[in-house]
Amino acid sequence: MNELINALKFDASGLIPAVVQNIETNEVLMVAYMNADTIKKTVETGRATFWSRSRQEVWVKGDTSGNYMYVKEIRVDCDCDCLVVLVNPAGPACHTGNRSCFFRKIEDGKLVEDSHVPARSDILEREQAVVIDRKQHPEEGSYTNYLFDKGEDKILKKVGEEAAEVVIAGKNRNKEEISYEVADLIYHMTVMLVDNDMTWDDIYKEMERRRN
């Protein structure tokens, strides 16, 4: 780690800009600053951690809102004076509630809001990121932690129960009911995958293999 820190070019204040990007959709979410200590903390915890220039303190993104950013990779540019932090976000990146801080664009010389939505939602990855975080950092009263505490049999039982609910909903041909029950099933499948040290990436790869 010290070798990495020594290779980076920090500014006069000991900071380096970090562009935060959604690893699944490639959308740029925000730009912040890191110093040597917050880089180390980010690597150690897996949660994006920055230095707040306005408050002059360490800032773990999500500590207040719960919208943590789970770091999957950190890239360094050719001059070693800028970082790209690739993350799975647990919620909106912007304090305004927008998915990205870059929700405005210049159009005809004016600043306008951009309603563009990525072609593929990253909701599965965001849900998965929260489940992984609950496993690594248990929270009292968390249903996810309840399932992990009860173990494999309880998790698999819930997957089976929710699958049956999906079958019933499909038989009823009720779109609202189907959406609700499929969402429940996907959540419990996510818990099952994480319990087996897997992610949705493993499923995507198998689906791609079949397609090819």
Side-chain angles (χ1 to χ4, degrees), residues 94-96 98 100-107 110-115:
C94 187
H95 71 281
T96 62
N98 283 281
S100 166
C101 290
F102 297 93
F103 61 91
R104 295 176 294 182
K105 63 181 179 180
I106 298 174
E107 191 173 272
K110 298 178 181 179
L111 196 61
V112 298
E113 291 197 12
D114 185 3
S115 59

Side-chain angles (χ1 to χ4, degrees), residues 4-61:
L4 165 65
I5 297 301
N6 291 333
L8 296 177
K9 296 178 182 177
F10 298 93
D11 66 16
S13 300
L15 302 176
I16 188 170
V19 179
V20 183
Q21 185 176 12
N22 187 315
I23 195 170
E24 300 297 336
T25 65
N26 295 322
E27 182 179 24
V28 175
L29 300 176
M30 59 181 286
V31 176
Y33 288 83
M34 294 176 135
N35 57 25
D37 289 338
T38 60
I39 291 173
K40 291 177 181 178
K41 187 170 183 180
T42 295
V43 172
E44 290 170 0
T45 65
R47 289 176 172 176
T49 305
F50 308 104
W51 177 258
S52 172
R53 294 179 300 169
S54 60
R55 299 192 301 271
Q56 289 293 294
E57 64 182 16
V58 173
W59 165 40
V60 180
K61 174 64 177 176

Side-chain angles (χ1 to χ4, degrees), residues 1-208:
M1 178 59 73
N2 288 334
E3 182 179 350
L4 165 65
I5 297 301
N6 291 333
L8 296 177
K9 296 178 182 177
F10 298 93
D11 66 16
S13 300
L15 302 176
I16 188 170
V19 179
V20 183
Q21 185 176 12
N22 187 315
I23 195 170
E24 300 297 336
T25 65
N26 295 322
E27 182 179 24
V28 175
L29 300 176
M30 59 181 286
V31 176
Y33 288 83
M34 294 176 135
N35 57 25
D37 289 338
T38 60
I39 291 173
K40 291 177 181 178
K41 187 170 183 180
T42 295
V43 172
E44 290 170 0
T45 65
R47 289 176 172 176
T49 305
F50 308 104
W51 177 258
S52 172
R53 294 179 300 169
S54 60
R55 299 192 301 271
Q56 289 293 294
E57 64 182 16
V58 173
W59 165 40
V60 180
K61 174 64 177 176
D63 262 358
T64 300
S65 65
N67 298 327
Y68 291 105
M69 291 182 168
Y70 302 102
V71 178
K72 298 303 178 183
E73 186 178 329
I74 300 178
R75 297 185 182 181
V76 183
D77 82 328
C78 56
D79 295 321
C80 291
D81 60 1
C82 185
L83 306 176
V84 173
V85 183
L86 300 173
V87 305
N88 271 333
C94 187
H95 71 281
T96 62
N98 283 281
R99 184 185 62 254
S100 166
C101 290
F102 297 93
F103 61 91
R104 295 176 294 182
K105 63 181 179 180
I106 298 174
E107 191 173 272
D108 297 328
K110 298 178 181 179
L111 196 61
V112 298
E113 291 197 12
D114 185 3
S115 59
H116 171 71
V117 177
R120 186 174 77 81
S121 172
D122 63 344
I123 187 63
L124 286 181
E125 286 73 25
R126 286 193 281 125
E127 179 86 350
Q128 174 181 276
V130 174
V131 171
I132 292 173
D133 186 61
R134 289 293 184 272
K135 186 176 183 180
Q136 296 174 344
H137 308 95
E139 290 190 4
E140 186 177 352
S142 165
Y143 175 66
T144 301
N145 283 130
Y146 163 77
L147 291 174
F148 283 133
D149 290 342
K150 288 297 183 180
E152 179 184 70
D153 288 347
K154 180 64 174 180
I155 294 170
L156 295 178
K157 180 182 178 182
K158 289 300 298 182
V159 170
E161 290 175 353
E162 297 302 335
E165 293 293 337
V166 170
V167 171
I168 294 171
K171 185 66 174 177
N172 292 339
R173 304 190 67 79
N174 183 303
K175 292 182 179 180
E176 183 176 345
E177 184 182 356
I178 292 172
S179 297
Y180 184 89
E181 297 301 346
V182 169
D184 267 356
L185 176 59
I186 289 175
Y187 161 75
H188 286 91
M189 288 173 64
T190 301
V191 175
M192 183 269 291
L193 288 173
V194 173
D195 189 54
N196 281 277
D197 295 321
M198 296 175 65
T199 69
W200 282 104
D201 283 342
D202 296 295
I203 311 305
Y204 297 154
K205 289 175 184 177
E206 173 61 19
M207 295 177 73
E208 288 289 350

